[in-house]
């Protein structure tokens, strides 16, 4: 028993000369999800992940303790202090990875969707744009359309997942993955336009089929490493 614990401890410790871990805050809340989601991060030993959901997610200054913020939440950040902490983090040359239903959060915060995420799932009609739609349980054929570290090692693939349609996409976003599924928007992954932080957005990722898909896991891992400048 003791011996096994010791071995586990040694295996987890970074070897001499190894890079320090990428410190990730994983923020959830506002949307139920299958426990399989946490398996997405299995096998990436470079990450040290703290799950910090709403409402505590942005109560403190994240700049000293977090390298990459991974959002899998669906909550509008409304509090003044929470907004300024999130804004300060993004303005500090950090990393941000926005997954799936996190595209629906902050849909009325212009700075967030125009300057940071470069995309917006409309939760209601707004300024001449219609509410976005979604469709569960479809086979989505996806192909990379750009060369980028986030799609490194990723070829065309099919995933049983959920589509979003009628989103606003910034002309400044750099699209990495596309589908021609009739119930979805073309762009399913892109790089957000923020000038300082590195922002990667992946629309996919609803349920266990996506969470367990080796290509999805690779995309998320690539996105975190790129956002952390590793
Ligand atoms: Zn979903």
């Amino acid at each position: 028993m003791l011996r096994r614990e010791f071995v586990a401890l040694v295996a987890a410790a970074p070897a001499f000369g190894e890079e320090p871990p990428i410190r990730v805050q994983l923020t959830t809340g506002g949307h139920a999800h299958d426990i399989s989601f946490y398996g997405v991060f299995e096998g990436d030993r470079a990450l040290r992940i703290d799950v910090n959901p709403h409402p505590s997610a942005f109560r403190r200054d994240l700049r000293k303790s977090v390298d990459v913020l991974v959002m899998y939440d669906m909550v509008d950040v409304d509090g003044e202090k929470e907004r300024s902490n999130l804004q300060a983090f993004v303005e500090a040359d950090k990393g941000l990875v926005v997954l799936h239903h996190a595209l629906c959060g902050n849909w009325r915060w212009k700075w967030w969707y125009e300057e940071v995420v470069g995309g917006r799932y409309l939760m209601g009609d707004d300024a001449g744009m219609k509410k976005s739609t979604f469709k569960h349980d479809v086979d989505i054929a996806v192909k990379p359309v750009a060369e980028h570290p986030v799609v490194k090692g990723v070829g065309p693939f099919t995933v049983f997942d959920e589509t979003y349609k009628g989103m606003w996409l910034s002309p400044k976003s750099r699209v990495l993955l596309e589908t021609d599924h009739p119930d979805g928007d073309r762009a399913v992954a892109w790089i957000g336009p923020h000038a300082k932080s590195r922002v990667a957005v992946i629309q996919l990722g609803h349920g266990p089929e996506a969470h367990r898909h080796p290509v999805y896991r690779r995309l998320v891992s690539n996105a975190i490493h790129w956002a952390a400048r590793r």
Side-chain angles (χ1 to χ4, degrees):
M1 188 61 171
L2 205 64
R3 189 183 166 82
R4 195 188 303 152
E5 276 165 9
F6 174 74
V7 170
L9 208 68
V10 169
F16 181 72
E18 225 175 77
E19 282 191 293
I22 300 171
R23 301 165 304 168
V24 175
Q25 173 169 308
L26 174 58
T27 290
T28 56
H31 197 296
H33 48 271
D34 194 273
I35 196 166
S36 58
F37 172 68
Y38 299 94
V40 170
F41 307 93
E42 272 172 15
D44 190 341
R45 290 188 52 228
L47 311 182
R48 199 183 72 210
I49 304 179
D50 278 326
V51 180
N52 190 3
H54 294 273
S56 66
F58 304 118
R59 272 185 192 152
R60 65 191 169 90
D61 188 337
L62 306 178
R63 289 174 291 187
K64 281 208 175 108
S65 57
V66 177
D67 303 312
V68 178
L69 174 63
V70 177
M71 295 179 79
Y72 193 61
D73 60 337
M74 204 173 104
V75 174
D76 294 332
V77 178
D78 285 330
E80 202 175 309
K81 185 174 145 199
E82 284 78 6
R83 275 201 175 196
S84 78
N85 281 334
L86 177 53
Q87 200 153 9
F89 178 82
V90 173
E91 298 293 358
D93 307 320
K94 292 289 193 170
L96 174 68
V97 177
V98 175
L99 300 177
H100 193 58
H101 48 242
L103 270 163
C104 311
N106 297 318
W107 74 283
R108 289 191 198 85
W109 190 5
K110 207 170 169 147
W111 171 79
W112 179 254
Y113 64 78
E114 275 195 351
E115 293 180 37
V116 182
V117 176
R120 178 195 195 199
Y121 185 102
L122 285 98
M123 297 293 286
D125 298 351
D126 186 54
M129 275 194 81
K130 285 273 171 219
K131 186 178 172 174
S132 309
T133 58
F134 59 88
K135 188 162 189 208
H136 282 290
D137 300 340
V138 287
D139 282 314
I140 309 171
V142 177
K143 64 172 194 303
V145 291
E147 294 236 352
H148 192 276
V150 172
V151 289
K152 193 175 174 204
V154 172
F157 65 100
T158 299
V159 60
F160 184 78
D161 204 342
E162 177 188 7
T163 56
Y164 289 168
K165 194 172 185 176
M167 282 188 291
W168 173 80
L169 181 71
S170 168
K172 293 181 193 158
S173 292
R174 183 175 170 205
V175 177
L176 302 180
L177 292 176
E178 282 186 355
T179 183
D180 52 12
H181 197 287
D183 295 317
D185 287 335
R186 274 194 92 75
V188 289
W190 61 87
I191 299 303
H194 200 267
K196 288 180 180 165
S197 275
R198 289 189 165 190
V199 182
V201 182
I202 301 169
Q203 179 272 329
L204 302 166
H206 177 81
E209 294 82 1
H211 302 153
R212 294 187 183 123
H213 198 300
V215 178
Y216 188 72
R217 290 186 173 194
R218 173 172 274 241
L219 282 169
V220 174
S221 174
N222 282 351
I224 295 171
H225 283 252
W226 172 76
R229 295 173 167 82
R230 295 283 185 85

